[in-house]
Amino acid sequence: MKNRYCFCILLGLALSIAGSAAPSDTPAIHFVSFKQVHVDDEFWSPKFDLWQHTTAVDVLDKFEGKHIKEEGNHNTFSNFDQVARGDKGTGGHFGAPWFDGLIYESIRGIADYLAQNPDPEMEKRLDGYIERIEAAQKVDPNGYIDTYTDLNEPDHRWGENGGFLRWQHDVYNAGMLIEAGVHYYQATGKTKLLTVATRLANYMYDYMGPSDDPRNPKKNVVPSHSGPEEAMVKLYWLYRDHPELKNQLEVPVCEEHYLQLVTRWMENRGHHCGFPNWEEWGNERAERWIKECRYEDPRFGDESRPCWGDYAQDRIPVFEQQTIEGHAVRATLMATGLSTLALVNHQPEYIETAKRLWDNMAGKRMFITGGVGAIHYDEKFGPDYYLPSDAYLETCAAIGAAFFSKRMTELTGNAMYMDEVERILFNSLMTAVSLSGNNYTYQNPLNAGNHNRWEWHGCPCCPPMFLKITSAIPGYIYAQKDKNLFVNLFISSQTDIPISRNNSVTLKQETRYPWDGKVILNVSPQKKSRFTIKIRIPGWAQGIENPFGLYTSNLKRSVTLKVNGKPYPIQIKNGYAHIHRSWKNMDQIELELPVQPRVIYAHPEVDNLKEQAALAAGPVIYAFENCDNPDFEKIILNSETPLKMEYKKDLLGGINQIQCQGTIPAVAVPYYAIANRQKNSSHKVWIPQK
Ligand SMILES: [Zn+2]
């Protein structure tokens, strides 16, 4: 069936007119696509190369079970093959219910790598997987696809009839498929996976989208694991911006429907029958209550569904949520979806809620490495100022917080959000994969004994998330709003940004960041012209370790800025130094950030960090590892400790090492580099002051 030009075009027009009349005080900035950015960086380029050519291959091999010697089926892709041959309810699913989603996430991450560095062999491999995914979908007349539910619980699609969506992940998996379809199309121009994704999006809209008829509401289903919200907005954007694409597909497309579905998902949170009471009953009793379909009792109304609890950000409506709660990956991805939707609808409730949740996260619940999700049980956020040194801190949760913070930068044009993206990249993210590129972490405690990376995990969710964000990083460097050009990250790279119909600006950045604070930015417009360069001055470099005072430091030096060799007064607004002038070919900005060791302290409300200190230099947080320190248990750190920093080319892939030259000599390395030199290693970020 070719595209039906349905009423949605008229409706879309009406919505966009209504949208433009709505309050719109958000100075959104637009990030420059990674397709327009060429990175050639001492720190990042070898890592991108390793992650694309070693980590991505390793992740797919392990999803195929190639690392397992024992007999039996260990191949995640066999799930699609079983469904494709018509299996149903056989119980033959391999892995956890969300493994479909992890495959799709891997495809999305690798697609972004392919878009930047084509690799025909890898593309062929992904095409093979996509054939199998398509074959699995073809079995269902509606385009439903979820291999766990079909193989193991076919009567519980979307968690209905006493199904347990919190565990099943049908909507999450669907969302990850949609995201993969969009990214793979953008990388390769191939429409097969996009068609599969669109068919499923259409079915979800028909099944659980908004209804015009209050007597006949569609199914009340919300993602019990967030992620699909942002994915569905991306699908909307793709078709809105490329209407010609709609005629190339064999499925109808109505992009407004996708936006309406996300809006309903978002606003239907907290709208349920009110039970089970997770807090009082506990997980086991609450689950049983759901599996017995008790929510179908007519006393709970017609549209009732169970409450998925604070764990899944569903106890109360989203706009009433004051603090960021529950499972930390779900929470950060819900907030990512909320802020993404706010970019489209500019609704004040969305923007205020997103800001409130971010403020709570970054101001009271974020660890010095950017990690979030303090508590092991239910993998969830803890209370305010609960920042124990042995906290859980799942890799995926930090990545979710980075995705959320990046969207907040777009929404507000404020660099404070980008500061936290950077904190996560250099610390929580970088530690998640070994320097060899094929061993991983799930938990990232700041202080730990017997810390190890694993070859693979029963829940291998973190490596796909790692691929998703690392391949996106080149698209985080530059941004634009009209004649304002933003530099967000310090990575040697080059881009061309059009500023008018007949003028564009080449920005070329050269730096050894994070090992050196000097950043050279060559600004070359085609034609001499007035515009503004806005360079993010990281909070840490201004002595603002955290925008809410959650952390403070003893930073001693300040930032300097020169334009064409002459000192330039630093005027910081919204976290960016503004340089407004008439620019000509080969103008040069020289920024010097104070990359030197500094000592960090936590807010006095953080009980367990009283009398403790941590070490950083630039954006990099340091740790003391037992293999470097014979007196590991006796190390102390405070503002009086004499500190010396030295670049070691051959250590841990090239790092700045910090030497503490006090009464007990000690050596610190970047937190991200721990657990690469020995098994069962011990490390500490937080160190006693006395
Ligand atoms: Zn994970």
Side-chain angles (χ1 to χ4, degrees):
M1 193 171 7
K2 284 280 165 196
N3 174 44
R4 290 173 294 186
Y5 278 96
C6 50
F7 282 118
C8 78
I9 291 175
L10 286 173
L11 181 65
L13 203 60
L15 278 175
S16 65
I17 290 165
S20 63
S24 176
D25 58 356
T26 51
I29 64 171
H30 305 281
F31 279 80
V32 175
S33 163
F34 54 56
K35 289 188 178 181
Q36 263 82 58
V37 177
H38 177 73
V39 172
D40 184 6
D41 185 79
E42 177 188 322
F43 181 85
W44 289 103
S45 293
K47 293 178 176 68
F48 290 144
D49 192 53
L50 176 79
W51 299 333
Q52 176 174 358
H53 297 112
T54 299
T55 307
V57 173
D58 184 65
V59 166
L60 294 177
D61 283 351
K62 286 173 180 169
F63 273 121
E64 288 191 27
K66 286 185 178 169
H67 60 300
I68 297 175
K69 304 280 176 286
E70 296 99 70
E71 293 270 302
N73 177 20
H74 309 287
N75 186 348
T76 309
F77 297 92
S78 73
N79 296 326
F80 296 102
D81 303 339
Q82 292 175 62
V83 170
R85 70 175 183 233
D87 287 8
K88 224 176 181 113
T90 57
H93 184 269
F94 167 72
W98 49 92
F99 271 35
D100 286 6
L102 303 185
I103 295 302
Y104 305 142
E105 287 193 70
S106 302
I107 293 175
R108 170 210 153 157
I110 297 168
D112 284 2
Y113 272 121
L114 292 180
Q116 298 165 69
N117 297 296
D119 175 351
E121 197 184 330
M122 175 57 86
E123 190 175 324
K124 203 169 148 218
R125 185 171 183 175
L126 296 188
D127 284 339
Y129 296 146
I130 290 166
E131 295 274 346
R132 293 157 83 174
I133 294 164
E134 186 197 40
Q137 187 190 45
K138 276 200 170 145
V139 171
D140 188 88
N142 297 311
Y144 173 88
I145 175 168
D146 187 286
T147 68
Y148 173 81
T149 298
D150 264 355
L151 292 172
N152 287 22
E153 303 189 43
D155 299 330
H156 294 150
R157 285 187 172 188
W158 311 120
E160 292 182 324
N161 310 315
F164 188 45
L165 192 62
R166 249 172 71 158
W167 173 250
Q168 279 174 241
H169 287 68
D170 297 32
V171 189
Y172 162 82
N173 289 337
M176 297 305 97
L177 171 56
I178 286 160
E179 191 173 70
V182 171
H183 284 249
Y184 197 67
Y185 166 73
Q186 288 170 333
T188 62
K190 293 177 180 168
T191 54
K192 186 170 278 186
L193 193 62
L194 181 63
T195 303
V196 170
T198 305
R199 190 177 287 127
L200 181 57
N202 290 347
Y203 178 48
M204 284 199 286
Y205 173 79
D206 289 343
Y207 195 78
M208 64 184 83
S211 164
D212 301 333
D213 180 359
R215 288 161 307 171
N216 188 23
K218 290 185 187 172
K219 297 285 186 177
N220 180 352
V221 178
V222 297
S224 184
H225 191 305
S226 280
E229 297 90 338
E230 187 192 37
M232 203 59 99
V233 177
K234 286 181 182 174
L235 189 68
Y236 162 76
W237 277 333
L238 176 69
Y239 290 125
R240 184 197 64 184
D241 298 343
H242 301 279
E244 74 286 355
L245 180 58
K246 297 191 228 177
N247 288 321
Q248 297 171 30
L249 303 185
E250 289 176 1
V251 286
V253 174
C254 184
E255 69 272 20
E256 290 298 336
H257 285 173
Y258 312 141
L259 200 57
Q260 290 163 20
L261 177 59
V262 196
T263 306
R264 178 168 157 95
W265 278 342
M266 200 53 80
E267 298 184 8
N268 245 21
R269 289 184 172 275
H271 296 280
H272 43 61
C273 75
F275 291 95
N277 186 334
W278 294 89
E279 301 303 310
E280 278 183 24
W281 301 2
N283 284 357
E284 207 178 315
R285 185 179 153 199
E287 261 181 60
R288 204 166 51 239
W289 189 90
I290 291 169
K291 287 177 178 167
E292 288 166 1
C293 287
R294 303 281 282 275
Y295 54 89
E296 284 183 357
D297 188 319
R299 281 177 303 172
F300 295 129
D302 298 335
E303 211 202 359
S304 69
R305 62 167 171 85
C307 164
W308 301 117
D310 269 335
Y311 173 86
Q313 303 73 49
D314 186 43
R315 186 173 57 82
I316 53 174
V318 71
F319 302 135
E320 291 173 24
Q321 296 179 16
Q322 301 300 316
T323 48
I324 191 158
E325 298 294 344
H327 186 269
V329 183
R330 297 175 198 231
T332 52
L333 293 181
M334 194 282 281
T336 304
L338 182 75
S339 46
T340 307
L341 202 44
L343 285 168
V344 183
N345 68 24
H346 301 295
Q347 293 298 316
E349 275 181 312
Y350 279 73
I351 297 166
E352 283 155 23
T353 304
K355 284 183 175 172
R356 188 167 67 241
L357 295 178
W358 193 88
D359 289 359
N360 178 247
M361 175 180 80
K364 293 177 177 166
R365 299 180 178 192
M366 187 172 258
F367 290 68
I368 191 67
T369 50
V372 292
I375 297 177
H376 190 141
Y377 180 77
D378 275 352
E379 305 184 311
K380 66 189 175 187
F381 275 96
D384 290 349
Y385 299 114
Y386 179 72
L387 302 167
S389 300
D390 61 351
Y392 190 70
L393 307 184
E394 181 184 345
T395 299
C396 289
I399 296 172
F403 284 140
F404 177 26
S405 301
K406 190 258 183 174
R407 289 296 186 201
M408 293 305 289
T409 315
E410 280 175 283
L411 190 60
T412 63
N414 193 319
M416 126 182 119
Y417 300 104
M418 218 55 213
D419 286 355
E420 299 312 314
V421 173
E422 179 179 71
R423 179 184 299 282
I424 293 163
L425 296 186
F426 280 107
N427 302 292
S428 290
L429 177 76
M430 284 282 305
T431 200
V433 171
S434 63
L435 297 177
S436 58
N438 59 1
N439 279 264
Y440 309 89
T441 64
Y442 191 110
Q443 302 172 35
N444 298 289
L446 274 58
N447 293 19
N450 289 326
H451 188 66
N452 285 305
R453 296 166 193 284
W454 37 267
E455 189 188 352
W456 203 232
H457 198 280
C459 176
C461 52
C462 303
M465 279 285 270
F466 179 88
L467 293 174
K468 276 170 42 163
I469 196 164
T470 54
S471 56
I473 291 170
Y476 290 11
I477 304 173
Y478 302 101
Q480 178 183 20
K481 190 189 184 201
D482 307 323
K483 291 200 169 186
N484 300 282
L485 308 183
F486 298 80
V487 177
N488 290 298
L489 294 178
F490 307 112
I491 297 178
S492 297
S493 57
Q494 186 171 326
T495 188
D496 290 299
I497 306 177
I499 52 165
S500 69
R501 233 180 324 152
N502 51 13
N503 198 7
S504 73
V505 182
T506 302
L507 296 179
K508 187 165 193 286
Q509 214 187 139
E510 285 171 44
T511 182
R512 288 195 62 245
Y513 196 79
W515 309 133
D516 187 300
K518 186 187 262 195
V519 180
I520 305 281
L521 185 71
N522 289 307
V523 182
S524 298
Q526 281 176 330
K527 292 177 192 158
K528 192 176 169 188
S529 150
R530 285 192 88 77
F531 54 91
T532 308
I533 301 283
K534 298 184 176 178
I535 303 182
R536 181 175 66 91
I537 306 299
W540 65 259
Q542 302 175 53
I544 306 167
E545 198 64 37
N546 173 278
F548 305 92
L550 184 58
Y551 303 102
T552 52
S553 83
N554 72 340
L555 183 81
K556 295 187 183 99
R557 267 172 36 209
S558 55
V559 183
T560 62
L561 187 63
K562 289 178 187 168
V563 176
N564 294 333
K566 294 197 188 102
Y568 193 91
I570 300 178
Q571 295 168 328
I572 298 174
K573 206 175 157 222
N574 287 334
Y576 294 97
H578 289 210
I579 310 174
H580 179 71
R581 64 196 296 276
S582 179
W583 299 92
K584 61 178 190 324
N585 192 26
M586 291 304 286
D587 278 342
Q588 190 175 79
I589 299 170
E590 198 178 324
L591 175 72
E592 182 84 42
L593 298 166
V595 173
Q596 59 175 53
R598 65 185 190 279
V599 178
I600 296 173
Y601 307 99
H603 191 281
E605 291 273 346
V606 185
D607 274 339
N608 70 298
L609 297 180
K610 288 188 165 70
E611 312 286 315
Q612 303 274 309
L615 200 53
V620 179
I621 302 297
Y622 277 72
F624 296 84
E625 217 177 353
N626 60 342
C627 62
D628 288 323
N629 294 289
D631 293 318
F632 183 69
E633 296 301 338
K634 297 184 202 147
I635 302 169
I636 56 167
L637 177 70
N638 54 48
S639 288
E640 272 74 58
T641 308
L643 301 169
K644 189 179 156 226
M645 188 167 78
E646 199 181 341
Y647 184 71
K648 302 256 180 178
K649 184 165 74 72
D650 298 319
L651 183 62
L652 296 163
I655 56 156
N656 276 350
Q657 187 193 57
I658 299 179
Q659 292 148 19
C660 302
Q661 299 171 321
T663 43
I664 298 157
V667 163
V669 298
Y671 171 74
Y672 76 72
I674 56 166
N676 275 294
R677 289 175 287 176
Q678 59 174 21
K679 286 249 174 277
N680 305 320
S681 74
S682 299
H683 68 269
K684 290 183 203 171
V685 168
W686 290 104
I687 299 288
Q689 289 184 44
K690 300 195 257 270

